[in-house]
Amino acid sequence: MKIAVAMSGGVDSSAAAAMLKAEGHDLVGFTMQLWNQRRGLSTGEDGEPLPSRCCSLDDVYDARRVAEGLGFPFYVLNLERDFERDVVAPFVQSYLEGETPIPCVACNSRLKFASLDRMALSVGCEKVATGHYARVRFDEGSGRYRLLRGRDGRKDQSYFLWELTQEQLSRSLFPLGELTKGEVREAARRHGLNVAAKPESQEICFVPDGDYAGFIDRYLEAEGREDERPPGGEIVDAEGRVVASHAGVHRYTVGQRRGIGVSRPLPLYVVSVDAEANRVVVGHEDELLSHEFTAAGINWVAFDEPAREVRADVRVRYRHQEAPATVIPLGGARVRVRFDEPQRAITPGQATVFYRGEEVLGGGWIVKESSQ
C-alpha cells in the first residue's frame, strides 16, 4: 500500500515507519510543525527556549534523518496557526474557566489526524500510520471499525484517540499496537535508527517546564489580554469559610494538595474551582470522592448513540484505573456517568473514555455540573 506516516522524530513513529518499509509498503513521511518555540513563552534564565522533547525543531530534524535513511520522501506541514487556534487557545481558555484541560486529545483528533488525513488523500495514500499504542479492527457484523487498547497496558494510548471518526479509523494504521515499548526500541535498533535510545516526551509540548499558570500569564501578556488574567481571591472550605487567599484560579486543579497555603492537622485538597465566583474550594480527601458526573461532546466509536444506558468501565483521566459504571445518554451528545463505587478527583476539562474489555466504546469531555 501507499501509506502516509506521521513522523514525530521519536522512537515510536520512527520504528513504525521502519517496520512498514520492511514490509514493502510505499511510504510518504509527514512531520507537523506545531508550535513556534521562538515565541519566547517558555524560556530559561538565559532567554533561550526551554528544550522540549515533543514537536521541537530537533524532532523535525530527527524525523527527516529517519525518512532519508529509510529512503522515502518527507514533508513538513506548518500547522502553527491551526495549532494555536485549535489547541493552545482552548487550553488557555479552559484554565481561565476553572477547568484542567488535556490538550493532547484535541491535538490528536482535531489537528494531527484531520490534517494528515487530508494530506494523505491528496497524495494518493490509502492509509495513515502513526506510532500510537492502539489497535483498529473492522467488524464485519456491525460494519464498523473498532478501536482497541494497545497490547502493552503500560503504554496503551487508546485514551487519546476516542474522538476519531469511523472515516478516520477506516484509514488509520497503528503498527505498534501489538508490541511492547521494549520490543519497539529493539525494532528501532534492529533497523539502525539513530533515535532508538531517544527519551520519551512527557510534558505538554508548548509548556516544557510544566508551569501551566506561568505559561498562561505569559500567553495573555503576549496577546495583549492582560486584563483577562485571573485576579487573586478567596480559598474557602465547603461551608464557605475563608481559610486562605489565592493568586488566580488558573493556578489550581481538583485534587491538588501542594501550594494551597493552608496548614491543618489533616491535609487539605482542592475540591473544586469556581472561576465565576473567583473562589477555590478546599476540603479533606474524602470530599474528593464522587459517584457521578456529566460529560459532553460524546463520540460513540463502537456503535451509534444508544437509546438506553450502557454498562462500561470508565476512565476519567489518562492515569486513572477505569472503574465499572453506568453511562446514561442524555441526548445532544451528552451523558451522565454513575460509578458503582465513588471515584477520586473527577475533574472538569479532562477526557473520559468508556471501555468494554479491550474495546473503546466512546468518550467525551467532563463538564461542570452547573453547565447541565
Side-chain angles (χ1 to χ4, degrees):
M1 290 186 293
K2 188 173 183 180
I3 302 172
V5 184
M7 304 285 291
S8 70
V11 63
D12 293 333
S13 62
S14 299
M19 292 163 57
L20 293 172
K21 183 68 174 178
E23 292 174 4
H25 298 292
D26 182 11
L27 306 185
V28 181
F30 291 96
T31 285
M32 301 172 201
Q33 186 173 323
L34 301 177
W35 182 242
N36 182 356
Q37 306 284 342
R38 289 285 169 183
R39 286 196 62 181
L41 298 183
S42 296
T43 59
E45 294 181 358
D46 58 0
E48 289 297 308
L50 291 172
S52 171
R53 291 206 301 267
C54 178
C55 311
S56 69
L57 291 178
D58 286 341
D59 292 315
V60 175
Y61 298 147
D62 284 341
R64 185 183 299 278
R65 284 196 293 268
V66 169
E68 290 175 349
L70 294 174
F72 60 83
F74 172 82
Y75 303 94
V76 178
L77 305 181
N78 190 324
L79 300 176
E80 290 180 0
R81 184 174 299 177
D82 305 71
F83 182 70
E84 182 159 356
R85 181 193 64 223
D86 297 335
V87 178
V88 179
F91 169 87
V92 171
Q93 188 60 38
S94 185
Y95 262 109
L96 296 181
E97 293 174 1
E99 300 175 337
T100 302
I102 178 168
C104 299
V105 173
C107 184
N108 271 314
S109 56
R110 302 176 191 178
L111 189 69
K112 290 182 178 178
F113 271 91
S115 300
L116 189 56
D117 206 26
R118 289 193 298 270
M119 288 300 301
L121 289 173
S122 72
V123 296
C125 291
E126 301 172 54
K127 294 283 186 177
V128 173
T130 74
H132 286 93
Y133 289 80
R135 294 172 293 153
V136 62
R137 299 284 185 273
F138 181 70
D139 180 63
E140 293 186 359
S142 64
R144 297 180 73 94
Y145 287 86
R146 303 171 61 203
L147 177 61
L148 308 175
R149 303 175 193 261
R151 288 291 187 194
D152 187 344
R154 295 171 300 177
K155 291 298 299 178
D156 168 48
Q157 293 173 309
S158 59
Y159 173 87
F160 298 104
L161 304 175
W162 61 267
E163 275 198 313
L164 294 183
T165 66
Q166 281 291 304
E167 186 175 357
Q168 288 172 327
L169 286 171
S170 73
R171 290 191 289 274
S172 297
L173 194 60
F174 303 126
L176 309 186
E178 300 286 350
L179 304 179
T180 66
K181 183 71 177 190
E183 291 171 333
V184 170
R185 287 201 182 276
E186 176 56 34
R189 285 190 289 268
R190 189 168 61 250
H191 288 286
L193 303 183
N194 62 298
V195 296
K198 189 174 181 178
E200 294 184 72
S201 59
Q202 301 289 340
E203 71 285 333
I204 293 175
C205 62
F206 55 93
V207 194
D209 61 357
D211 181 9
Y212 305 140
F215 173 83
I216 292 168
D217 287 343
R218 293 188 295 273
Y219 181 84
L220 293 176
E221 181 178 0
E223 293 294 300
R225 296 165 52 189
E226 296 95 331
D227 58 328
E228 297 181 39
R229 183 180 300 167
E234 298 174 337
I235 298 178
V236 302
D237 60 19
E239 286 72 42
R241 294 187 293 260
V242 178
V243 298
S245 61
H246 67 75
V249 293
H250 61 311
R251 302 179 184 279
Y252 300 86
T253 184
V254 173
Q256 178 179 333
R257 177 181 173 184
R258 299 182 182 277
I260 296 176
V262 183
S263 179
R264 293 290 176 87
L266 293 176
L268 292 177
Y269 300 82
V270 174
V271 174
S272 66
V273 179
D274 186 345
E276 187 174 348
N278 194 29
R279 279 186 164 188
V280 175
V281 181
V282 296
H284 299 299
E285 189 165 18
D286 60 347
E287 295 177 69
L288 286 172
L289 299 176
S290 178
H291 269 99
E292 58 186 73
F293 66 92
T294 298
I298 303 298
N299 179 51
W300 292 102
V301 179
F303 37 71
D304 292 332
E305 182 173 358
R308 301 179 181 177
E309 62 188 34
V310 174
R311 289 290 295 173
D313 294 320
V314 176
R315 187 182 296 183
V316 295
R317 56 187 168 275
Y318 179 47
R319 294 301 182 186
H320 174 240
Q321 177 60 53
E322 58 265 17
T326 300
V327 183
I328 306 166
L330 301 176
R334 297 169 67 86
V335 298
R336 187 71 177 168
V337 176
R338 290 179 179 157
F339 285 108
D340 294 357
E341 300 292 336
Q343 301 298 303
R344 184 183 186 277
I346 299 174
T347 308
Q350 291 287 294
T352 177
V353 180
F354 321 136
Y355 291 89
R356 181 175 291 162
E358 292 187 317
E359 184 171 11
V360 173
L361 301 183
W365 300 100
I366 300 171
V367 298
K368 294 186 177 182
E369 297 305 310
S370 59
S371 62
Q372 296 185 66

